[in-house]
PDB file of all heavy atoms in Angstrom:
ATOM      1  N   LYS A 340     -11.653  66.054  45.265  1.00 70.00           N
ATOM      2  CA  LYS A 340     -12.128  64.680  45.500  1.00 70.00           C
ATOM      3  C   LYS A 340     -11.022  63.777  46.031  1.00 70.00           C
ATOM      4  O   LYS A 340     -11.255  62.605  46.291  1.00 70.00           O
ATOM      5  CB  LYS A 340     -12.659  64.072  44.193  1.00 70.00           C
ATOM      6  CG  LYS A 340     -13.742  64.884  43.514  1.00 70.00           C
ATOM      7  CD  LYS A 340     -14.183  64.197  42.243  1.00 70.00           C
ATOM      8  CE  LYS A 340     -15.217  65.037  41.509  1.00 70.00           C
ATOM      9  NZ  LYS A 340     -14.658  66.328  41.044  1.00 70.00           N
ATOM     10  N   GLY A 341      -9.815  64.264  46.139  1.00 74.00           N
ATOM     11  CA  GLY A 341      -8.699  63.426  46.539  1.00 74.00           C
ATOM     12  C   GLY A 341      -7.801  63.140  45.349  1.00 74.00           C
ATOM     13  O   GLY A 341      -8.233  63.123  44.189  1.00 74.00           O
ATOM     14  N   ALA A 342      -6.525  62.880  45.635  1.00 79.00           N
ATOM     15  CA  ALA A 342      -5.554  62.688  44.560  1.00 79.00           C
ATOM     16  C   ALA A 342      -5.836  61.428  43.741  1.00 79.00           C
ATOM     17  O   ALA A 342      -5.772  61.438  42.507  1.00 79.00           O
ATOM     18  CB  ALA A 342      -4.145  62.638  45.147  1.00 79.00           C
ATOM     19  N   PHE A 343      -6.169  60.320  44.424  1.00 83.00           N
ATOM     20  CA  PHE A 343      -6.377  59.063  43.705  1.00 83.00           C
ATOM     21  C   PHE A 343      -7.587  59.130  42.778  1.00 83.00           C
ATOM     22  O   PHE A 343      -7.513  58.741  41.607  1.00 83.00           O
ATOM     23  CB  PHE A 343      -6.542  57.914  44.711  1.00 83.00           C
ATOM     24  CG  PHE A 343      -6.809  56.594  44.046  1.00 83.00           C
ATOM     25  CD1 PHE A 343      -5.794  55.895  43.409  1.00 83.00           C
ATOM     26  CD2 PHE A 343      -8.094  56.049  44.044  1.00 83.00           C
ATOM     27  CE1 PHE A 343      -6.050  54.673  42.793  1.00 83.00           C
ATOM     28  CE2 PHE A 343      -8.353  54.846  43.426  1.00 83.00           C
ATOM     29  CZ  PHE A 343      -7.331  54.150  42.803  1.00 83.00           C
ATOM     30  N   LEU A 344      -8.719  59.633  43.319  1.00 84.00           N
ATOM     31  CA  LEU A 344      -9.925  59.722  42.501  1.00 84.00           C
ATOM     32  C   LEU A 344      -9.734  60.703  41.351  1.00 84.00           C
ATOM     33  O   LEU A 344     -10.200  60.463  40.222  1.00 84.00           O
ATOM     34  CB  LEU A 344     -11.109  60.140  43.379  1.00 84.00           C
ATOM     35  CG  LEU A 344     -12.479  60.187  42.682  1.00 84.00           C
ATOM     36  CD1 LEU A 344     -12.816  58.824  42.083  1.00 84.00           C
ATOM     37  CD2 LEU A 344     -13.556  60.631  43.655  1.00 84.00           C
ATOM     38  N   THR A 345      -9.017  61.774  41.603  1.00 82.00           N
ATOM     39  CA  THR A 345      -8.736  62.736  40.533  1.00 82.00           C
ATOM     40  C   THR A 345      -7.883  62.108  39.441  1.00 82.00           C
ATOM     41  O   THR A 345      -8.104  62.327  38.243  1.00 82.00           O
ATOM     42  CB  THR A 345      -8.031  63.964  41.099  1.00 82.00           C
ATOM     43  OG1 THR A 345      -8.842  64.555  42.116  1.00 82.00           O
ATOM     44  CG2 THR A 345      -7.759  64.988  40.007  1.00 82.00           C
ATOM     45  N   PHE A 346      -6.904  61.287  39.850  1.00 86.00           N
ATOM     46  CA  PHE A 346      -6.045  60.617  38.870  1.00 86.00           C
ATOM     47  C   PHE A 346      -6.846  59.632  38.017  1.00 86.00           C
ATOM     48  O   PHE A 346      -6.693  59.565  36.799  1.00 86.00           O
ATOM     49  CB  PHE A 346      -4.907  59.900  39.594  1.00 86.00           C
ATOM     50  CG  PHE A 346      -4.038  59.083  38.671  1.00 86.00           C
ATOM     51  CD1 PHE A 346      -3.032  59.687  37.931  1.00 86.00           C
ATOM     52  CD2 PHE A 346      -4.234  57.719  38.537  1.00 86.00           C
ATOM     53  CE1 PHE A 346      -2.237  58.952  37.082  1.00 86.00           C
ATOM     54  CE2 PHE A 346      -3.440  56.975  37.686  1.00 86.00           C
ATOM     55  CZ  PHE A 346      -2.439  57.589  36.958  1.00 86.00           C
ATOM     56  N   VAL A 347      -7.727  58.854  38.670  1.00 87.00           N
ATOM     57  CA  VAL A 347      -8.527  57.871  37.928  1.00 87.00           C
ATOM     58  C   VAL A 347      -9.460  58.561  36.956  1.00 87.00           C
ATOM     59  O   VAL A 347      -9.568  58.168  35.773  1.00 87.00           O
ATOM     60  CB  VAL A 347      -9.310  56.978  38.908  1.00 87.00           C
ATOM     61  CG1 VAL A 347     -10.284  56.077  38.143  1.00 87.00           C
ATOM     62  CG2 VAL A 347      -8.354  56.136  39.741  1.00 87.00           C
ATOM     63  N   LEU A 348     -10.161  59.593  37.419  1.00 85.00           N
ATOM     64  CA  LEU A 348     -11.071  60.306  36.525  1.00 85.00           C
ATOM     65  C   LEU A 348     -10.311  60.987  35.380  1.00 85.00           C
ATOM     66  O   LEU A 348     -10.769  61.003  34.242  1.00 85.00           O
ATOM     67  CB  LEU A 348     -11.874  61.340  37.323  1.00 85.00           C
ATOM     68  CG  LEU A 348     -12.870  60.780  38.345  1.00 85.00           C
ATOM     69  CD1 LEU A 348     -13.537  61.912  39.112  1.00 85.00           C
ATOM     70  CD2 LEU A 348     -13.910  59.904  37.658  1.00 85.00           C
ATOM     71  N   GLY A 349      -9.148  61.543  35.706  1.00 86.00           N
ATOM     72  CA  GLY A 349      -8.351  62.168  34.662  1.00 86.00           C
ATOM     73  C   GLY A 349      -7.841  61.154  33.655  1.00 86.00           C
ATOM     74  O   GLY A 349      -7.808  61.426  32.442  1.00 86.00           O
ATOM     75  N   PHE A 350      -7.439  59.967  34.122  1.00 89.00           N
ATOM     76  CA  PHE A 350      -6.961  58.919  33.209  1.00 89.00           C
ATOM     77  C   PHE A 350      -8.059  58.491  32.248  1.00 89.00           C
ATOM     78  O   PHE A 350      -7.836  58.366  31.030  1.00 89.00           O
ATOM     79  CB  PHE A 350      -6.464  57.723  34.031  1.00 89.00           C
ATOM     80  CG  PHE A 350      -5.847  56.641  33.198  1.00 89.00           C
ATOM     81  CD1 PHE A 350      -4.485  56.671  32.904  1.00 89.00           C
ATOM     82  CD2 PHE A 350      -6.619  55.598  32.702  1.00 89.00           C
ATOM     83  CE1 PHE A 350      -3.917  55.674  32.135  1.00 89.00           C
ATOM     84  CE2 PHE A 350      -6.050  54.605  31.931  1.00 89.00           C
ATOM     85  CZ  PHE A 350      -4.697  54.637  31.641  1.00 89.00           C
ATOM     86  N   VAL A 351      -9.266  58.260  32.771  1.00 90.00           N
ATOM     87  CA  VAL A 351     -10.387  57.856  31.911  1.00 90.00           C
ATOM     88  C   VAL A 351     -10.754  58.970  30.941  1.00 90.00           C
ATOM     89  O   VAL A 351     -11.025  58.726  29.753  1.00 90.00           O
ATOM     90  CB  VAL A 351     -11.598  57.449  32.780  1.00 90.00           C
ATOM     91  CG1 VAL A 351     -12.807  57.142  31.895  1.00 90.00           C
ATOM     92  CG2 VAL A 351     -11.256  56.237  33.642  1.00 90.00           C
ATOM     93  N   THR A 352     -10.747  60.203  31.433  1.00 89.00           N
ATOM     94  CA  THR A 352     -11.122  61.338  30.578  1.00 89.00           C
ATOM     95  C   THR A 352     -10.159  61.492  29.404  1.00 89.00           C
ATOM     96  O   THR A 352     -10.569  61.613  28.244  1.00 89.00           O
ATOM     97  CB  THR A 352     -11.164  62.629  31.396  1.00 89.00           C
ATOM     98  OG1 THR A 352     -12.113  62.481  32.455  1.00 89.00           O
ATOM     99  CG2 THR A 352     -11.549  63.812  30.523  1.00 89.00           C
ATOM    100  N   PHE A 353      -8.862  61.447  29.678  1.00 90.00           N
ATOM    101  CA  PHE A 353      -7.878  61.643  28.618  1.00 90.00           C
ATOM    102  C   PHE A 353      -7.780  60.411  27.710  1.00 90.00           C
ATOM    103  O   PHE A 353      -7.415  60.533  26.533  1.00 90.00           O
ATOM    104  CB  PHE A 353      -6.512  61.977  29.221  1.00 90.00           C
ATOM    105  CG  PHE A 353      -6.442  63.376  29.754  1.00 90.00           C
ATOM    106  CD1 PHE A 353      -6.425  63.615  31.118  1.00 90.00           C
ATOM    107  CD2 PHE A 353      -6.398  64.459  28.897  1.00 90.00           C
ATOM    108  CE1 PHE A 353      -6.363  64.907  31.613  1.00 90.00           C
ATOM    109  CE2 PHE A 353      -6.336  65.755  29.379  1.00 90.00           C
ATOM    110  CZ  PHE A 353      -6.324  65.979  30.744  1.00 90.00           C
ATOM    111  N   ALA A 354      -8.080  59.231  28.250  1.00 90.00           N
ATOM    112  CA  ALA A 354      -8.111  58.047  27.385  1.00 90.00           C
ATOM    113  C   ALA A 354      -9.216  58.169  26.339  1.00 90.00           C
ATOM    114  O   ALA A 354      -9.049  57.766  25.177  1.00 90.00           O
ATOM    115  CB  ALA A 354      -8.307  56.794  28.232  1.00 90.00           C
ATOM    116  N   ILE A 355     -10.357  58.749  26.747  1.00 90.00           N
ATOM    117  CA  ILE A 355     -11.444  58.974  25.786  1.00 90.00           C
ATOM    118  C   ILE A 355     -11.067  60.072  24.789  1.00 90.00           C
ATOM    119  O   ILE A 355     -11.365  59.974  23.589  1.00 90.00           O
ATOM    120  CB  ILE A 355     -12.742  59.324  26.535  1.00 90.00           C
ATOM    121  CG1 ILE A 355     -13.193  58.143  27.403  1.00 90.00           C
ATOM    122  CG2 ILE A 355     -13.847  59.710  25.559  1.00 90.00           C
ATOM    123  CD1 ILE A 355     -14.384  58.444  28.278  1.00 90.00           C
ATOM    124  N   LEU A 356     -10.387  61.107  25.271  1.00 89.00           N
ATOM    125  CA  LEU A 356     -10.013  62.212  24.381  1.00 89.00           C
ATOM    126  C   LEU A 356      -8.967  61.786  23.347  1.00 89.00           C
ATOM    127  O   LEU A 356      -8.979  62.257  22.212  1.00 89.00           O
ATOM    128  CB  LEU A 356      -9.476  63.390  25.198  1.00 89.00           C
ATOM    129  CG  LEU A 356     -10.487  64.102  26.096  1.00 89.00           C
ATOM    130  CD1 LEU A 356      -9.805  65.182  26.924  1.00 89.00           C
ATOM    131  CD2 LEU A 356     -11.601  64.716  25.246  1.00 89.00           C
ATOM    132  N   PHE A 357      -8.057  60.875  23.729  1.00 89.00           N
ATOM    133  CA  PHE A 357      -6.979  60.470  22.832  1.00 89.00           C
ATOM    134  C   PHE A 357      -7.296  59.182  22.053  1.00 89.00           C
ATOM    135  O   PHE A 357      -6.396  58.629  21.416  1.00 89.00           O
ATOM    136  CB  PHE A 357      -5.686  60.249  23.625  1.00 89.00           C
ATOM    137  CG  PHE A 357      -5.044  61.512  24.095  1.00 89.00           C
ATOM    138  CD1 PHE A 357      -4.832  61.728  25.456  1.00 89.00           C
ATOM    139  CD2 PHE A 357      -4.659  62.494  23.206  1.00 89.00           C
ATOM    140  CE1 PHE A 357      -4.240  62.900  25.900  1.00 89.00           C
ATOM    141  CE2 PHE A 357      -4.070  63.666  23.640  1.00 89.00           C
ATOM    142  CZ  PHE A 357      -3.862  63.872  24.987  1.00 89.00           C
TER     143      PHE A 357
END
Side-chain angles (χ1 to χ4, degrees):
K340 305 180 183 64
F343 178 75
L344 184 58
T345 302
F346 175 81
V347 173
L348 293 177
F350 185 89
V351 175
T352 301
F353 286 108
I355 296 174
L356 293 176
F357 287 121

